[in-house]
Amino acid sequence: MTVRTRYAPSPTGEPHLGNMRTALFSWLLARHYGGQFFLRIEDTDQARYVESGIEAQMEALHWLGLTWDEGPDVGGPYAPYTQSERLETYREHAQKLIAGDHAYLCYCSPERLEEVRKAQQARKEPPRYDRHCRDLSPEERRAAEAQGSRPVVRFKTPLDGETVAHDVLRGSVVFQNETLDDFVLLKSDGYPTYHLAAQVDDHLMGTTHVLRGEEWLPSVPRHFLVYQAFGWEPPVFAHLSRILGPDRSKLSKRHGAHAALDYREQGYLPDAVVNFLALLGWSLDDHTEIIDRETLIRHFDLDRVLTNPAVFNAEKLLWMNGVYIREMPDDRLADDAAPFLGRHLGRPVDRELLMGIIPLVKERIKLLGEIVDMADFFFTDGELEYDVEALLGKRYAGDPAAALKALEAATERLEAVDGWEHEKLESAVRPLAEELGVKTGELFGVLRVAVTGKTATPPLFETMEILARERTLDRLRSARERLQAQSTHAK
RNA sequence: GCCCCCGUCGUCUAGAGGCCCAGGACGCCACCCUUUCAAGGUGGAGAUCGCGGGUUCGAAUCCCGCCGGGGGCACCA
């Protein structure tokens, strides 16, 4: 049997990280067994439909590299893959259930349902449909129809007995039928509910494994009942636990980024996010953390999936992203980081220059976007912006004249260097520290701020080498001028 | 109120009766390396395995009860 899994989002908003993990696990399962993974759009709620929803879902999958074999955009043997285009199928199936005495037409108005619910709540009873229309006589039915109300189709849930639902991860879960009610299958607008549409489609489309969020667990007996009524074999269900925020409530906007694509904006790498998400509720063994896609596919299976909810550990994701950045080939890092710099500078970046910088920043950034703060000074011309205090540092605080002397001496030696390789620059300047009676770091610190405008930068001399002679000396001159002004001012 | 799920270091997890007075990872602390920042290396703190009863020679692992957390109870998915 080939494994067929699917990701079936409803286009009601931004794809969530939790959704993406469900998609990832489904995708991994299909890929592991050499089966198919398909995309289905569950747009059966006209009220909550969001125009950009489908696009956003596909974009998030695409970003993470979760390729689908069949879907609304690429078609496939079970097209259409958009539920709003399959209304006739659901109507036929609802009809079948009615014919088989598994469903019935219900004429109750929303107002009446609301009243019933209120009364039940007042009596502290569970809110449930009171089955008012379950056994209407033909006359009553005609009367209701004459009133012109548009009926819904409800499932005729067995009044007693129990329904055993199976979940591969949790085993069998038993539900007493009397705790269930007659849920709606087809709404009065002709659209199906999830309870009908998803089961019909999963069966018709040959889904073998349904992975979904655990919020579906309470309604899983309904789905088993539907399969039973149709006489179909249900697929394997696996209810994945939730992803929680640091406060153990469900992950949401309050916890910062929860929308998958926000992570792209922040400079996370899809491979890192996939790796991280895979480890939320699944593990390879007792020690492996960094796992590439191939390995993930090779080892992923449901038997190591956990059912307990996982708190989203943002620091670990950040760390992992750093690992992936460090392991990335330079040219690919340049490709991915360029847009971040470009956006900041307001112009495209010089590729050759960027390639020179990559080795210097690679092990210092954990997010692509951090390259901006780390390396923007390589791309700017003109005066740097920084505080003279930063230039003086701890050593020369309050003594700009001494700093100026040091800077002059250093500049002199740099100017005398034949060539501009960092090794030469370093051996020209390093001895100076001792001669001046200051620590190496203290002298280098002044040069660092002068040349970059920052106190935390890539290695000083390699930075100078890339900056090239002219720009380095320009910046040193500017720094001397500032110190000059400062010391005159002090006197 | 009713129904369902879950419970190992702060967090992600390993663990399927003895290998565990519980292993790895992130984070944290210290030291080393060092021109800053990182990266890297070494070491450390950190879990009465939610609690209480059993079963067993022996339980994180099996059983029962309790507590705690989460989810669901729509003509939403």
Side-chain angles (χ1 to χ4, degrees):
Chain A
M1 180 184 73
T2 15
V3 168
R4 282 178 61 82
T5 63
R6 96 279 117 124
Y7 174 55
S10 63
T12 50
E14 302 251 83
H16 198 259
L17 263 193
N19 300 148
M20 286 302 116
R21 189 191 48 164
T22 304
L24 172 64
F25 281 24
S26 304
W27 180 82
L28 284 172
L29 191 69
R31 293 289 173 258
H32 175 77
Y33 286 102
Q36 295 97 41
F37 172 69
F38 64 95
L39 177 63
R40 183 175 70 223
I41 301 300
E42 310 214 324
D43 57 345
T44 56
D45 186 355
Q46 293 180 288
R48 295 205 308 160
Y49 186 79
V50 175
E51 190 62 49
S52 59
I54 298 174
E55 193 58 36
Q57 292 287 351
M58 295 208 263
E59 200 175 337
L61 290 176
H62 184 77
W63 178 55
L64 292 174
L66 307 184
T67 49
W68 54 98
D69 305 302
E70 303 158 28
D73 55 337
V74 293
Y78 303 98
Y81 290 86
T82 302
Q83 291 188 328
S84 60
E85 295 167 21
R86 303 170 59 80
L87 265 25
E88 188 55 23
T89 304
Y90 309 124
R91 204 191 53 75
E92 281 167 16
H93 281 82
Q95 211 52 55
K96 257 184 223 171
L97 289 182
I98 294 174
D101 197 30
H102 289 296
Y104 60 91
L105 260 23
C106 165
Y107 302 90
C108 294
S109 64
E111 294 73 28
R112 195 188 95 81
L113 295 177
E114 186 55 33
E115 271 170 41
V116 170
R117 238 190 312 271
K118 270 191 192 144
Q120 284 165 333
Q121 266 157 359
R123 273 175 278 137
K124 300 213 167 188
E125 285 170 18
R128 251 179 276 174
Y129 177 57
D130 65 356
R131 297 184 159 125
H132 179 261
C133 298
R134 184 167 167 132
D135 299 302
L136 289 183
S137 64
E139 299 81 60
E140 288 171 313
R141 218 165 271 287
R142 261 194 297 282
E145 247 149 63
Q147 293 228 318
S149 59
R150 302 185 55 189
V152 302
V153 177
R154 283 184 186 272
F155 189 78
K156 212 166 186 175
T157 302
L159 271 12
D160 48 29
E162 56 189 34
T163 297
V164 182
H166 300 279
D167 176 296
V168 256
L169 307 178
R170 303 163 202 257
S172 298
V173 187
V174 182
F175 295 82
Q176 298 305 315
N177 289 337
E178 57 187 346
T179 66
L180 273 24
D181 70 352
D182 291 355
F183 51 95
V184 173
L185 296 169
L186 212 57
K187 303 180 241 182
S188 56
D189 62 5
Y191 279 68
T193 62
Y194 177 88
H195 303 307
L196 206 228
Q199 318 324 308
V200 167
D201 285 346
D202 280 330
H203 177 260
L204 261 29
M205 295 179 175
T207 310
T208 59
H209 299 258
V210 171
L211 274 58
R212 36 142 70 155
E214 71 175 343
E215 63 273 20
W216 287 110
L217 218 36
S219 53
V220 70
R222 294 170 167 176
H223 305 147
F224 271 79
L225 251 13
V226 169
Y227 276 100
Q228 234 168 66
F230 279 120
W232 296 337
E233 186 68 29
V236 173
F237 283 93
H239 292 89
L240 268 27
S241 64
R242 301 206 80 110
I243 297 179
L244 271 27
D247 59 356
R248 301 213 135 256
S249 72
K250 84 173 195 194
L251 193 64
S252 68
K253 329 97 220 138
R254 289 187 297 109
H255 304 111
H258 71 296
L261 291 171
D262 289 353
Y263 288 85
R264 181 177 61 182
E265 298 320 303
Q266 290 179 43
Y268 284 91
L269 265 19
D271 285 351
V273 174
V274 162
N275 189 158
F276 178 79
L277 248 26
L279 255 19
L280 238 44
W282 176 84
S283 61
L284 204 179
D285 53 33
D286 61 346
H287 64 278
T288 311
E289 305 281 340
I290 304 301
I291 313 170
D292 61 58
R293 253 166 234 268
E294 294 307 303
T295 313
L296 235 30
I297 290 171
R298 186 147 22 100
H299 294 277
F300 184 86
D301 208 343
L302 259 18
D303 59 356
R304 288 186 70 87
V305 172
L306 263 24
T307 51
N308 46 330
V311 171
F312 179 74
N313 188 181
E315 297 94 48
K316 186 162 180 174
L317 206 211
L318 188 61
W319 162 78
M320 198 171 268
N321 205 56
V323 172
Y324 274 86
I325 285 179
R326 274 173 254 132
E327 286 180 350
M328 215 173 183
D330 287 1
D331 59 332
R332 271 202 49 216
L333 217 203
D335 290 344
D336 288 359
F340 286 86
L341 274 167
R343 215 175 305 153
H344 178 257
L345 297 169
R347 60 184 153 81
V349 297
D350 183 276
R351 175 72 184 190
E352 205 181 329
L353 177 56
L354 179 57
M355 277 301 284
I357 290 162
I358 292 296
L360 266 42
V361 299
K362 201 173 187 176
E363 61 188 28
R364 285 165 233 272
I365 60 174
K366 288 199 170 92
L367 293 173
L368 294 173
E370 287 172 358
I371 196 170
V372 170
D373 205 43
M374 196 86 238
D376 58 349
F377 62 85
F378 281 112
F379 298 89
T380 52
D381 289 311
E383 295 288 297
L384 293 174
E385 269 181 52
Y386 57 87
D387 237 359
V388 182
E389 295 306 312
L391 196 54
L392 296 173
K394 253 180 115 178
R395 172 74 204 199
Y396 293 105
D399 194 358
L404 180 57
K405 270 187 68 182
L407 206 47
E408 280 168 348
T411 306
E412 212 170 289
R413 304 213 175 179
L414 289 169
E415 279 173 337
V417 171
D418 180 24
W420 199 253
E421 294 79 27
H422 69 266
E423 297 90 343
K424 290 183 185 169
L425 301 177
E426 179 165 359
S427 45
V429 175
R430 186 175 283 280
L432 181 61
E434 201 182 334
E435 292 168 34
L436 291 171
V438 298
K439 286 187 192 161
T440 324
E442 292 168 344
L443 174 64
F444 288 10
V446 179
L447 292 169
R448 167 170 288 111
V449 175
V451 164
T452 68
K454 300 174 197 289
T455 51
T457 74
L460 180 58
F461 299 102
E462 290 166 75
T463 298
M464 287 182 175
E465 179 179 329
I466 289 176
L467 230 29
R469 188 168 200 273
E470 190 184 346
R471 262 208 296 179
T472 304
L473 294 176
D474 265 3
R475 290 180 182 184
L476 288 172
R477 180 172 31 74
S478 162
R480 288 199 308 277
E481 284 165 10
R482 296 186 207 203
L483 287 175
Q484 191 80 56
Q486 189 78 1
S487 25
T488 342
H489 183 75
K491 275 171 197 169

